[in-house]
Amino acid sequence: MNTQGKAYINPSLFDTGPVVFFTWGARPVADDLWPVQYVTDNIADLAGYTANTFLEKKQVYSDLVHPDDLKRLVRDFSQVIDSDTSRITHNDYRLCHRDGHYIWVTGVTMIHRTDTGIPERFSGYLVDVSASRKHWQSCQNDSEQRYHQLFKRSRVVELLFDPESGDLVDANEAACRFYGYNYAQLTSLNASDINVMSEEEIAQAMVEAEEEKRNHFVFRHKLASGEVRDVEIHSGPVEFHGQKLLYSIVHDITSRLEAEREREKLSNALDQSGSSVMLTDAEYRIEYVNWQFCQVSGFSPDEVIGRHVDFLSAGRTSPEVRRQLAATLGQGKPWHGELLCRRKNGELFWQSMSISPIACAKGEIEGFVAVGEDLTAQRETDRKIQQLAFFDPITGLGNRQFLLDNLDEFFAESEASGFDGQTVLVFIDLDDFKRVNDSLGHSVGDRLIKTAAHRLKVVVSDSDILVRLGGDEFAIMHCTNSREKLNDWLDQLCYQFNRTVKLGPHTINAFASIGVAFLPQDAADTTEALRNAELAMYKAKQQTGSNCHFFSQELNQQAQKRLDLEVRLRKAMQHNQLELYYQPKVCLKKQDIVGVEALIRWNDPERGLISPLDFIPFAEETGLILPISHWVLETACKQIVNWHNAGRMPVRMAINLSVRQFQDPGFVSQVETVLKHTGVDPKWIELEITESMLMESMDDMLPVLHELKRLGVSLAIDDFGTGYSSLAYLKQMPIDVLKVDRAFVKDLPHGQNDCAITRTIIVLAQQLGLSVVAEGIEQIEQAEFLTDSGCDIGQGFLYSRPLTLTDLEEKLSMPLHS
């Protein structure tokens, strides 16, 4: 039941039955003395009007009251409002039915006040007593037969008491059925035999009814079976055969009161909950809120009940979340998530929400229950924690999280306001920063980062957002009102990185690659904005010096192609689409095959055989080169073992290494594991490293080369002569083979410079005790020159293209010169 100052549950249990439940507003609205806030659906049975007729203000309740009775009702309400009482017990009054005739009703009205005593609303019960009034009025004038027709055969429990003695004078058939007695037994009882109250209390109640001080009572009556039921009685004096009696109509309200007690218990429990609780109908109109909801939101129950839940939203819920929420609830499943809501004072706050459908016995959704937790305190704690991490300790600039929050806010506001200005996200990456860090040390690298930050501060305004994303990456959110001004600003930005930087004794070029994405034209959200600006930056990085590039859909398509390539390459590794081809190495003097170079191929079921030039560089960028290189090494080693086990003399297998492998701290141990796992003799394995790889980080590479050499494998420098390697380093490296790059071989023997360089490499190798392999031999003249110059081994199309395993084994079975 409702209690003063509390939220309440609409009593939908009263939608059927003889009792109509009303809630009226305490303050008149225009000519409507008591605005109807709620009425049960059975009002249609009582007055002919539907509940919506009153709720939608199409019919004013006070207009239906008979004019002669309206004054008395107004007086009754006024007296109770001015007093301390909370109950109005009305005498019967007339209500105009929709078809034009008047019905007699009686009822009890409760007044609900605020903590300060101000009336908030009225709630009450109405019962149609037209038939009963007609009955006892007719009893005074009509015959005994008429009395029996109206009284005895009524389906409503009706009793006649002697108010002086309390004896039960008469009862109808419905009363006999209800109390479980026959007529003779029931009419021999006294009121004290069925009413569990004391005789004094019963006598007092009868006096009040007889004197018409009160006509509505709630008692507990005992049945013949001993069961006690809650009953509601409407009682008043009548004349019957010259005797003054009390006529009483009895309604069994046991189930109703039990339901009310359960609702009261539930309401009290919900009011004690630390979570906000809200019940809605199937159309998301609010029916109930608990005390915690009112505390959190600032709204009172009357301010929200009957309204659609959308008015509590902050309007920031994304269409995707709204669709997901509606779809989940529509399937009869609960939804959990966080929603941005607003309080009565307009303040926005986050709530963790759990919304569950309420289904009837037939499975149809009748409403929803929402349980919320105010995340304000948690968000404030999170905000403080994030604030500690919002600034980069080296530059003092905002960090990645700071940018993400600003981008989130930007997209939320642009979606709400239809923003069409010129805002750009600029992604800046310092070129060759890793080289500075590795060669000059991290302290110099930090100084370079600080210098870059200082130069960026020169070109940004107070309205711009400047952050360090991490490492050597920066970003700027910049607003401008014209493309011309934007271009001028970007020119200033590029200029800052086209100047040298003096860092102690070191002077370096601090070039930067700059990518630009327009917001929100080029991106719909934060993630897409960062991605597209970064794509533009990578396009700028393909040029030299400090350059700026704008995002375009072409870049997006290229990124999609790269993503597609990565997916297909991963699939190729999983489905054994990678193969090894083998290009023979030939002894130039004897024309015998003395070794092979393992070359990877991708046999795509849709595109056919794919050259390594089309996927190895991409694999290097993405890191897929590591599992691919591991597979090549393992497969090559297994093949040598297979040849040995088959009784075939193995040949030395050359395997190319990737720079990514040398950057992996566990690379040497992985090679050792493969050698032991396959059981191959390391002397048959030759690992090739390009000269350019060595020159990038010679100091780091040398220890790794020595560790590999200790495993028993041979080491070769591929593409020798193209990387300008230091002879001092060459002397320190544990190298076994030098490979002359095809760039020097292709113009032999006619190119004088190529001839000189090639002879020099061969002589250098001989002096250092190294073997020499010339690659790219396609003509007999090239082979003859190399042989005459003292070159040991050659490979190229003159001798053989890369072969499948089957073709290689067939070629190994016969002399090459035959």
Side-chain angles (χ1 to χ4, degrees), residues 674-686:
V674 170
L675 295 177
K676 291 181 178 179
H677 177 71
T678 59
V680 69
D681 188 339
K683 71 179 183 180
W684 299 110
I685 301 297
E686 182 178 290

Side-chain angles (χ1 to χ4, degrees), residues 585 596-599 652-656 684-688:
K585 293 182 179 181
V596 294
E597 181 177 359
L599 301 171
R652 179 171 289 179
M653 182 84 71
I655 302 166
N656 293 292
W684 299 110
I685 301 297
E686 182 178 290
L687 302 180
E688 293 188 0

Side-chain angles (χ1 to χ4, degrees), residues 47 61-70 72-73 90-97 101-106 126-130 133 137:
Y61 180 85
S62 55
D63 288 348
L64 299 180
V65 180
H66 194 284
D68 293 342
D69 298 329
L70 182 59
R72 175 167 51 83
L73 286 180
H90 304 289
N91 290 323
D92 298 351
Y93 62 95
R94 285 160 289 182
L95 203 64
C96 186
H97 194 277
H101 77 278
Y102 279 94
I103 59 173
W104 283 90
V105 295
T106 189
L126 286 185
V127 178
D128 184 355
V129 294
S130 301
R133 286 184 67 92
Q137 288 173 353

Side-chain angles (χ1 to χ4, degrees), residues 522-634:
D522 288 340
D525 56 34
T526 297
T527 301
E528 191 176 9
L530 282 170
R531 171 183 170 274
N532 291 348
E534 188 173 13
L535 283 176
M537 180 275 294
Y538 280 121
K539 186 66 176 179
K541 192 174 281 292
Q542 296 175 6
Q543 306 167 21
T544 58
S546 293
N547 285 285
C548 177
H549 198 88
F550 289 89
F551 170 78
S552 65
Q553 284 303 318
E554 182 184 356
L555 289 178
N556 190 41
Q557 292 169 2
Q558 292 174 359
Q560 291 296 329
K561 289 181 180 179
R562 289 170 60 84
L563 178 60
D564 176 64
L565 178 60
E566 181 177 356
V567 172
R568 290 193 296 111
L569 187 53
R570 290 184 184 275
K571 184 178 178 181
M573 295 166 59
Q574 295 171 357
H575 293 81
N576 299 319
Q577 296 174 7
L578 299 181
E579 298 179 13
L580 280 188
Y581 273 54
Y582 305 89
Q583 186 172 28
K585 293 182 179 181
V586 178
C587 175
L588 295 179
K589 291 182 179 180
K590 299 181 179 180
Q591 297 288 290
D592 293 332
I593 296 176
V594 293
V596 294
E597 181 177 359
L599 301 171
I600 192 168
R601 295 291 184 270
W602 176 3
N603 195 356
D604 189 282
E606 297 179 3
R607 295 169 173 81
L609 208 61
I610 299 177
S611 167
L613 295 177
D614 294 331
F615 68 90
I616 289 299
F618 174 76
E620 289 273 8
E621 292 179 20
T622 60
L624 288 176
I625 194 65
L626 292 177
I628 290 175
S629 298
H630 186 275
W631 176 84
V632 170
L633 176 63
E634 187 173 42

Side-chain angles (χ1 to χ4, degrees), residues 32-285:
D32 192 354
L33 298 178
W34 308 297
V36 176
Q37 295 180 346
Y38 178 83
V39 61
T40 50
D41 289 341
N42 56 355
I43 183 63
D45 298 329
L46 180 76
Y49 294 93
T50 65
N52 283 339
T53 303
F54 292 97
L55 297 176
E56 295 172 3
K57 312 307 179 187
K58 296 178 181 177
Q59 177 61 54
V60 176
Y61 180 85
S62 55
D63 288 348
L64 299 180
V65 180
H66 194 284
D68 293 342
D69 298 329
L70 182 59
K71 295 180 181 179
R72 175 167 51 83
L73 286 180
V74 172
R75 185 182 65 250
D76 290 346
F77 276 98
S78 299
Q79 289 175 350
V80 173
I81 288 174
D82 295 335
S83 67
D84 294 329
T85 58
S86 61
R87 178 191 294 269
I88 307 171
T89 303
H90 304 289
N91 290 323
D92 298 351
Y93 62 95
R94 285 160 289 182
L95 203 64
C96 186
H97 194 277
R98 186 177 184 180
D99 61 13
H101 77 278
Y102 279 94
I103 59 173
W104 283 90
V105 295
T106 189
V108 173
T109 304
M110 299 290 294
I111 182 169
H112 301 264
R113 305 175 189 270
T114 65
D115 293 337
T116 59
I118 299 174
E120 280 188 319
R121 63 184 181 277
F122 303 104
S123 62
Y125 304 95
L126 286 185
V127 178
D128 184 355
V129 294
S130 301
S132 303
R133 286 184 67 92
K134 289 178 182 179
H135 169 65
W136 57 261
Q137 288 173 353
S138 298
C139 285
Q140 294 177 336
N141 304 314
D142 294 346
S143 64
E144 186 72 14
Q145 180 181 0
R146 183 64 175 166
Y147 166 74
H148 279 282
Q149 287 177 346
L150 296 177
F151 182 81
K152 296 294 186 180
R153 296 180 183 178
S154 173
R155 288 182 293 177
V156 178
V157 177
E158 300 179 15
L159 303 172
L160 284 175
F161 287 98
D162 182 344
E164 293 186 2
S165 64
D167 291 337
L168 207 165
V169 176
D170 201 357
N172 65 357
E173 295 176 4
C176 293
R177 288 193 297 270
F178 175 68
Y179 288 102
Y181 296 101
N182 61 35
Y183 179 76
Q185 291 172 328
L186 186 57
T187 53
S188 67
L189 299 178
N190 187 276
S192 60
D193 294 324
I194 60 175
N195 197 322
V196 298
M197 291 197 309
S198 67
E199 293 184 5
E200 292 77 10
E201 291 173 319
I202 295 172
Q204 178 61 34
M206 287 192 169
V207 169
E208 292 177 359
E210 184 183 12
E211 296 177 355
E212 297 189 89
K213 295 180 179 178
R214 183 179 172 196
N215 61 9
H216 175 268
F217 303 88
V218 175
F219 295 141
R220 304 196 73 205
H221 278 191
K222 183 169 60 176
L223 310 185
S225 63
E227 180 184 358
V228 176
R229 306 287 291 180
D230 293 300
V231 294
E232 182 179 57
I233 296 180
H234 299 275
S235 186
V238 295
E239 289 285 339
F240 184 69
H241 295 293
Q243 184 181 6
K244 193 172 184 179
L245 300 176
L246 284 177
Y247 169 73
S248 300
I249 301 174
V250 181
H251 296 291
D252 183 2
I253 60 171
T254 304
S255 297
R256 190 185 81 197
L257 291 185
E258 287 179 352
E260 287 181 353
R261 284 191 287 269
E262 286 299 317
R263 286 198 305 274
E264 178 76 9
K265 184 177 178 181
L266 174 60
S267 183
N268 288 335
L270 292 178
D271 280 339
Q272 297 299 319
S273 171
S275 302
S276 297
V277 180
M278 175 173 62
L279 302 181
T280 75
D281 63 13
E283 302 300 323
Y284 300 100
R285 289 185 296 269

Side-chain angles (χ1 to χ4, degrees), residues 323-392:
R323 285 193 296 269
Q324 182 189 29
L325 193 157
T328 302
L329 296 180
Q331 295 171 5
K333 300 177 181 179
W335 180 88
H336 306 282
E338 294 184 2
L339 296 176
L340 188 61
C341 306
R342 71 176 182 92
R343 308 188 203 274
K344 183 178 179 179
N345 61 9
E347 178 186 345
L348 302 184
F349 70 103
W350 284 94
Q351 279 204 109
S352 174
M353 298 291 293
S354 294
I355 306 175
S356 301
I358 303 173
C360 64
K362 296 180 180 179
E364 297 177 354
I365 295 177
E366 292 185 326
F368 302 92
V369 55
V371 180
E373 299 290 341
D374 185 358
L375 298 178
T376 303
Q378 179 182 331
R379 286 293 173 104
E380 178 62 19
T381 300
D382 293 344
R383 186 191 66 80
K384 291 179 179 178
I385 293 173
Q386 287 183 1
Q387 188 174 14
L388 295 174
F390 260 6
F391 294 94
D392 174 52

